[in-house]
Amino acid sequence: MLIKNVSVFTGKDFIKHGYVVVRGNNFDYVGGTEPEGNYDEIIDGNGRLLMPGFINAHTHIYSAFARGMALDYFNPSSFTELLEQLWWRLDRKLSLPEIELSAYIAAVESSESGVTSLIDHHSSPAEISGSLNTIARAVNDVGLRVDTCYEVSDRDGVKAAERGISENVSFFERRNEFKGAHFGLHAGFTLSDETLKKVSEASKGRIPIHVHVAEGPEDEESSLSRYGKRVVQRFYDYELLIPGSIFAHCIHVNDNELALIKERDVYVVVNAQSNINNGVGITFWPHFTERGVKVGIGNDGFGFNIANDIRFFILTPHHEKRDPKVSSTRDLLNTFFKSNAEIASRSFGINLGFIEPEYRADFIIVDYNSPTPINSENFSDHFFYGIIDNLKVIDVYVSGKPVVKHGKNITIDKEVLYSEARKIASSLWRKI
Ligand SMILES: [Zn+2]
């Protein structure tokens, strides 16, 4: 397939008049001159912009049914109470059909927002066994890649924790380039030493973990008071800082913890909108990247349009320090475009996230008619201030196959899906 009459952002550089060739599942050529050859399909990009498919590096697919949910009481005075009064009431009631529908919704909405890979963190204490494969089947059916894991914790007892451990291990054994896996852990403050020991024994140092770290201040406080050490040190001591692990948030970590994160090649994934919404502080990530820590961007299940979180990611450090110089749109090249691509490439075992030969052909075509000159030097400004300010995703391809055409997902009937989801949501909400 040859795509012409497009401008191209490769993930690093901008090509004004570009040509992209896809052969099989991979990019075969990208450049500014038309390549020789015969093609089974020639696509006219109509002057639009082709760029890598977006990767959401931390989300909660099961949050799909929380939208509009009324609660008979909600008056949290801490982050833990917020979890108890909202998220843990929802996830305890989820059954497999609801998990499956939430995955379809998340995948459809993600695809139409330009996301081609989701890194999910799942919880459903009443339905643990088989939950991860249910999610993966649905997301893959919609045409996207998903990495998922079960968030092990002690909050529902020893048996549930053990089932969560088994679910992570068995899903990891069946991973492929469309379904990736981490070892899911909820957070330090919901994990006893006994459970961490079991996780460490089950992982045997080979399954990177995906865990919430220091999201609320109480995670560090409880770790220090109960175990006499900070959250990251505790995971480190259980040999759980496995290269490629994802630590979501890290709002309240200190420099010693950052040094361990860097030493063990762990990614910090920032979710700025969710943090602001929950009132837990913000991750001052420029301090992390200065120290060589790799930082990616997720959205914590705050809708499924990652574009909004990209904007908050850049803006929150300015607000925090009252200084517009502490982060810039160019930081997106190292974080959203690079770290997120690395996380997905390692998880799915393929090259992802750049428009380059030998990379899987996951790409999007967006409608962006720039009123000012655009080039490699200022592309990140255009991306931040223009493209994602009014994101218009026209086409989405995963592994060279179309998933979204003319702004609509073509793999599933969205009206039928939403109609079924509204029925299920009403009965789910009655149970909560
Ligand atoms: Zn989360």
Side-chain angles (χ1 to χ4, degrees):
M1 176 203 303
L2 169 69
I3 305 156
K4 56 193 219 177
N5 193 19
V6 281
S7 55
V8 178
F9 175 63
T10 65
K12 294 172 188 158
D13 301 310
F14 178 77
I15 305 166
K16 190 165 171 46
H17 300 289
Y19 297 86
V20 173
V21 176
V22 175
R23 275 193 209 286
N25 301 322
N26 284 350
F27 296 116
D28 191 47
Y29 170 86
V30 56
T33 51
E34 186 162 359
E36 303 267 324
N38 294 317
Y39 302 98
D40 52 355
E41 191 179 2
I42 296 177
I43 293 176
D44 182 345
N46 294 312
R48 290 179 172 135
L49 168 69
L50 186 152
M51 61 187 300
F54 297 159
I55 294 155
N56 183 346
H58 176 75
T59 194
H60 297 283
I61 282 173
Y62 76 80
S63 71
F65 282 122
R67 202 178 302 173
M69 182 171 70
L71 294 167
D72 49 0
Y73 64 89
F74 183 70
N75 188 24
S77 56
S78 69
F79 177 61
T80 306
E81 285 185 14
L82 185 149
L83 294 174
E84 287 166 350
Q85 293 179 20
L86 171 58
W87 296 108
W88 295 353
R89 287 171 73 189
L90 171 68
D91 72 9
R92 281 197 176 100
K93 299 297 178 190
L94 291 171
S95 60
L96 284 179
E98 290 146 354
I99 295 165
E100 182 180 40
L101 268 181
S102 65
Y104 273 108
I105 295 163
V108 168
E109 295 196 351
S110 294
S111 71
E112 292 180 353
S113 307
V115 172
T116 50
S117 293
L118 289 160
I119 314 291
D120 177 48
H121 199 255
H122 176 67
S123 176
S124 53
E127 291 276 10
I128 297 173
S129 302
S131 58
L132 299 183
N133 216 35
T134 300
I135 290 168
R137 251 198 334 262
V139 177
N140 292 164
D141 195 28
V142 176
L144 305 191
R145 302 181 201 276
V146 64
D147 169 310
T148 186
C149 62
Y150 190 85
E151 53 174 69
V152 173
S153 79
D154 291 315
R155 67 181 170 93
D156 292 287
V158 174
K159 285 273 168 284
E162 286 175 350
R163 273 198 292 276
I165 290 170
S166 308
E167 179 69 359
N168 280 311
V169 173
S170 72
F171 187 72
F172 179 79
E173 302 299 349
R174 289 177 288 171
R175 71 197 186 285
N176 61 38
E177 72 164 83
F178 281 91
K179 51 178 200 178
H182 279 72
F183 205 122
L185 301 175
H186 173 251
F189 69 98
T190 59
L191 288 154
S192 65
D193 279 345
E194 294 70 36
T195 302
L196 285 184
K197 190 158 176 280
K198 287 178 197 163
V199 170
S200 186
E201 283 164 3
S203 169
K204 300 189 189 83
R206 73 209 159 107
I207 312 177
I209 65 171
H210 183 175
V211 60
H212 297 119
V213 172
E215 181 174 3
E218 56 260 63
D219 197 10
E220 292 287 7
E221 288 161 10
S222 87
S223 190
L224 284 166
S225 66
R226 279 195 255 169
Y227 308 106
K229 55 180 98 164
R230 297 185 71 91
V231 175
V232 175
Q233 183 69 51
R234 193 163 163 248
F235 291 149
Y236 183 88
D237 291 349
Y238 280 102
E239 298 179 357
L240 292 171
L241 267 66
I242 296 158
S245 293
I246 296 170
F247 285 5
H249 309 299
C250 292
I251 296 170
H252 306 283
V253 297
N254 70 12
D255 283 357
N256 292 337
E257 291 176 291
L258 285 177
L260 294 176
I261 287 170
K262 176 173 186 287
E263 175 199 319
R264 298 298 299 155
D265 192 15
V266 168
Y267 297 90
V268 170
V269 172
V270 175
N271 308 266
Q273 285 195 110
S274 162
N275 298 156
I276 294 167
N277 186 48
N278 289 338
V280 289
I282 65 131
T283 312
F284 190 71
W285 58 265
H287 183 75
F288 298 19
T289 49
E290 271 168 23
R291 278 155 185 74
V293 171
K294 295 196 250 186
V295 172
I297 302 180
N299 85 335
D300 213 14
F302 203 94
F304 293 103
N305 181 357
I306 189 77
N308 294 323
D309 257 275
I310 298 167
R311 305 200 96 207
F312 278 83
F313 175 82
I314 295 295
L315 297 175
T316 44
H318 296 191
H319 180 72
E320 181 80 357
K321 292 285 183 222
R322 306 285 191 272
D323 181 353
K325 302 185 299 299
V326 291
S327 59
S328 85
T329 66
R330 286 195 70 80
D331 292 317
L332 293 173
L333 300 179
N334 245 331
T335 55
F336 182 65
F337 288 106
K338 187 156 179 260
S339 292
N340 281 25
E342 275 185 24
I343 290 170
S345 297
R346 290 169 85 151
S347 167
F348 298 112
I350 48 176
N351 294 328
L352 274 177
F354 293 96
I355 313 291
E356 282 179 25
E358 311 296 319
Y359 275 68
R360 284 288 188 276
D362 290 13
F363 63 94
I364 64 176
I365 296 176
V366 301
D367 195 6
Y368 180 60
N369 189 9
S370 174
T372 55
I374 178 168
N375 52 49
S376 286
E377 277 63 49
N378 72 7
F379 180 82
S380 62
D381 277 350
H382 279 275
F383 181 68
F384 183 80
Y385 292 105
I387 294 164
I388 59 170
D389 180 50
N390 185 14
L391 183 65
K392 291 181 196 145
V393 176
I394 307 299
D395 297 328
V396 176
Y397 286 74
V398 175
S399 259
K401 295 184 182 61
V403 172
V404 171
K405 292 296 264 179
H406 311 295
K408 303 277 176 228
N409 187 293
I410 57 169
T411 65
I412 193 159
D413 188 327
K414 194 168 161 184
E415 291 312 312
V416 172
L417 170 67
Y418 277 27
S419 153
E420 178 70 10
R422 281 190 291 269
K423 277 186 236 152
I424 294 262
S426 301
S427 63
L428 175 66
W429 289 355
R430 279 195 292 274
K431 288 191 277 176
I432 288 165

